[in-house]
Amino acid sequence: MSSPLTMHAASAWRGRKLWRNVHLWLGLILGFWLSLIGLTGALLVFFYELEEVVHPQLFTVSPNPEGQAAYKPLQRIVEAAESALPDGASSGFAYYPRTDSGAYWFFYEVPVAGKDAADEWHVFVDPYSASVLGAWQSKLHDDWVPREFFMFVFSLHDALLLPWEVGGILVGVIAVLCLVSALVGVGLWWPGSRRWRQALRFKRNPSAERFVFDLHSLSGIYLAPVLLSLLISGIYFNLPDQFFWVVRQFSADTLNRYEVKSIIPEKEAKSIGIEQAMLVAQARYPEGRPDWLYMPTRPDDAYTICFKEVSTVSHFADRSCVVIDQYRGQTLHVTAPGAGSGGNTFVSWQWSLHSGQAFGLPGRILVLLSGLSLPILFITGVVRWQHKRRAARATERRRASANVIAL
């Protein structure tokens, strides 16, 4: 008769085997796609700097000693960008000049006559002269993939080159399942109280099988904090409704700034304009440098202006976003570490963690290494699986031979 201790050990072994299979099959099924997402994410860590190197005539200008003080009015900059495109073009997003030698980078949609579709254009404007440096067609309405290299990489990273309605959700589901696999992997690796030193280093003079095992487990463990944060923030970007539902279970008043809307006046009213919206936002963060500009494209949209280098917010994550009513000029919401509830603070960290901006250059390098590590984890996982399959077949052959001899 089995003792309770023996039964407990057998149950624990079966439970561990179950979780090992969960980790294995999620890794085998999703590992290639996660590796692709990781490699493209690693490439995008420094995409802006790389664009400046590849297209210096569009991204860089001769700096003025007065810096931002010498910029032309923002409304004039916007009008210059619009003049480079056909009538009806609308911009919902722009990058503010990254440095005093940088240019404005506008993203436009240009409607196609007779079709419910639009071409995507990028326009670059010198902030000191308000002159257009150039414009390119990033993606025509009937293109399958963007024409510009880094926009192609973004599309591959965000949605696997599929329409966002399908690919974005698919990538989000991959992130959820890989998060489960990663947590299970950490649990399977977790050493006993007296085995930490052994568990955190490569074995000396290992066999090929042991080296593969150590490479798989240690590369995953040492980068686990970054990988887990990347997967969670990936869910935030690709499955925002589900992400915010979960966060609101712990912090009910958490807001999604993309859902914050302007109040449409009862009587006809004009938008305050990007110039006035910038003044409202800068009054809140006068020490920060504007980075992202979101312009309203629908009647109930709001202006959103994001700042970087806001050291008063956090020493680690220096990004803050201000959402402004496009008619009244009132601040509707602020996304920043420490602003509002714990849920809002948690949400405000997601972009900074995903991009590595949270910890400056070291953080970006860690995200780069984490993206590059995903193919290593996938390949070593497959090789380890093959090793175990060969070992299992060898064991079966020995048993079969022993049974033949016994007969």
Side-chain angles (χ1 to χ4, degrees):
M1 185 175 179
S2 299
S3 67
L5 185 61
T6 303
M7 294 174 64
H8 176 75
S11 177
W13 181 85
R14 287 193 297 270
R16 185 175 180 82
K17 183 178 180 181
L18 171 64
W19 289 117
R20 190 185 298 119
N21 286 333
V22 169
H23 181 68
L24 168 66
W25 288 108
L26 285 177
L28 292 176
I29 295 170
L30 302 176
F32 171 79
W33 302 108
L34 187 63
S35 298
L36 187 61
I37 294 168
L39 287 174
T40 52
L43 186 60
L44 292 172
V45 170
F46 293 98
F47 92 95
Y48 206 120
E49 291 85 348
L50 292 171
E51 288 278 30
E52 291 175 334
V53 172
V54 176
H55 303 290
Q57 74 282 7
L58 297 176
F59 284 85
T60 57
V61 299
S62 298
N64 188 299
E66 298 181 30
Q68 296 180 75
Y71 283 6
K72 295 297 183 183
L74 185 50
Q75 186 59 42
R76 183 173 169 185
I77 298 289
V78 172
E79 291 171 356
E82 291 176 351
S83 70
L85 297 174
D87 292 340
S90 64
S91 175
F93 175 73
Y95 282 112
Y96 195 82
R98 195 172 68 90
T99 65
D100 289 344
S101 59
Y104 281 95
W105 180 6
F106 290 90
F107 291 64
Y108 276 92
E109 289 191 348
V110 178
V112 178
K115 295 185 179 181
D116 185 19
D119 298 332
E120 296 178 10
W121 283 76
H122 297 182
V123 182
F124 304 86
V125 182
D126 185 323
Y128 301 109
S129 65
S131 59
V132 176
L133 300 173
W136 72 42
Q137 286 180 313
S138 172
K139 186 175 183 290
L140 295 183
H141 67 282
D142 54 355
D143 285 344
W144 179 42
V145 296
R147 298 180 172 190
E148 198 274 330
F149 175 71
F150 278 105
M151 295 303 104
F152 167 84
V153 176
F154 267 111
S155 181
L156 184 57
H157 179 73
D158 295 340
L160 298 176
L161 300 181
L162 298 170
W164 175 256
E165 296 77 9
V166 177
I169 294 175
L170 178 60
V171 170
V173 171
I174 290 174
V176 171
L177 295 176
C178 287
L179 177 63
V180 172
S181 179
L183 291 172
V184 170
V186 171
L188 292 171
W189 167 87
W190 199 266
S193 58
R194 298 180 181 180
R195 298 172 56 196
W196 282 95
R197 178 177 292 184
Q198 294 179 348
L200 289 171
R201 66 185 182 186
F202 281 90
K203 302 300 181 288
R204 294 181 179 179
N205 303 317
S207 64
E209 289 82 357
R210 183 69 206 195
F211 175 77
V212 170
F213 174 81
D214 285 348
L215 182 60
H216 181 79
S217 59
L218 293 180
S219 59
I221 287 301
Y222 279 114
L223 290 172
V226 183
L227 290 172
L228 291 173
S229 70
L230 290 174
L231 290 169
I232 292 171
S233 54
I235 298 168
Y236 160 75
F237 286 114
N238 286 69
L239 297 175
D241 293 342
Q242 293 78 6
F243 180 91
F244 275 91
W245 183 87
V246 173
V247 173
R248 285 168 183 151
Q249 305 312 302
F250 302 92
S251 181
D253 58 349
T254 302
L255 288 177
N256 180 352
R257 66 179 174 85
Y258 295 101
E259 296 177 349
V260 177
K261 300 297 182 181
S262 295
I263 299 175
I264 302 175
E266 294 182 3
K267 297 181 179 180
E268 185 176 352
K270 292 181 64 176
S271 172
I272 61 173
I274 186 62
E275 193 83 41
Q276 183 62 34
M278 177 65 77
L279 291 175
V280 173
Q282 286 181 318
R284 187 177 188 94
Y285 294 115
E287 78 281 14
R289 184 183 186 93
D291 191 21
W292 292 354
L293 312 178
Y294 290 88
M295 281 76 75
T297 58
R298 293 177 297 187
D300 62 346
D301 283 347
Y303 287 101
T304 299
I305 300 175
C306 297
F307 293 84
K308 63 180 180 179
E309 302 172 9
V310 187
S311 57
T312 56
V313 173
S314 170
H315 292 295
F316 302 107
D318 63 353
R319 176 173 297 275
S320 302
C321 296
V322 184
V323 184
I324 301 160
D325 188 294
Q326 69 160 304
Y327 303 104
R328 298 175 298 158
Q330 295 181 354
T331 298
L332 301 176
H333 178 61
V334 174
T335 301
S341 66
N344 285 320
T345 294
F346 177 68
V347 168
S348 72
W349 276 83
Q350 297 310 307
W351 182 87
S352 296
L353 290 172
H354 199 78
S355 64
Q357 300 281 353
F359 299 96
L361 181 59
R364 298 174 78 185
I365 292 173
L366 275 176
V367 170
L368 171 67
L369 294 176
S370 298
L372 296 176
S373 74
L374 291 172
I376 296 174
L377 288 170
F378 174 55
I379 293 170
T380 53
V382 172
V383 173
R384 177 66 178 162
W385 173 57
Q386 292 294 336
H387 287 165
K388 297 184 76 171
R389 289 185 67 194
R390 285 199 296 268
R393 286 196 295 266
T395 300
E396 288 296 326
R397 286 195 296 270
R398 285 195 298 270
R399 288 176 178 172
S401 298
N403 290 336
V404 170
I405 294 173
L407 291 175

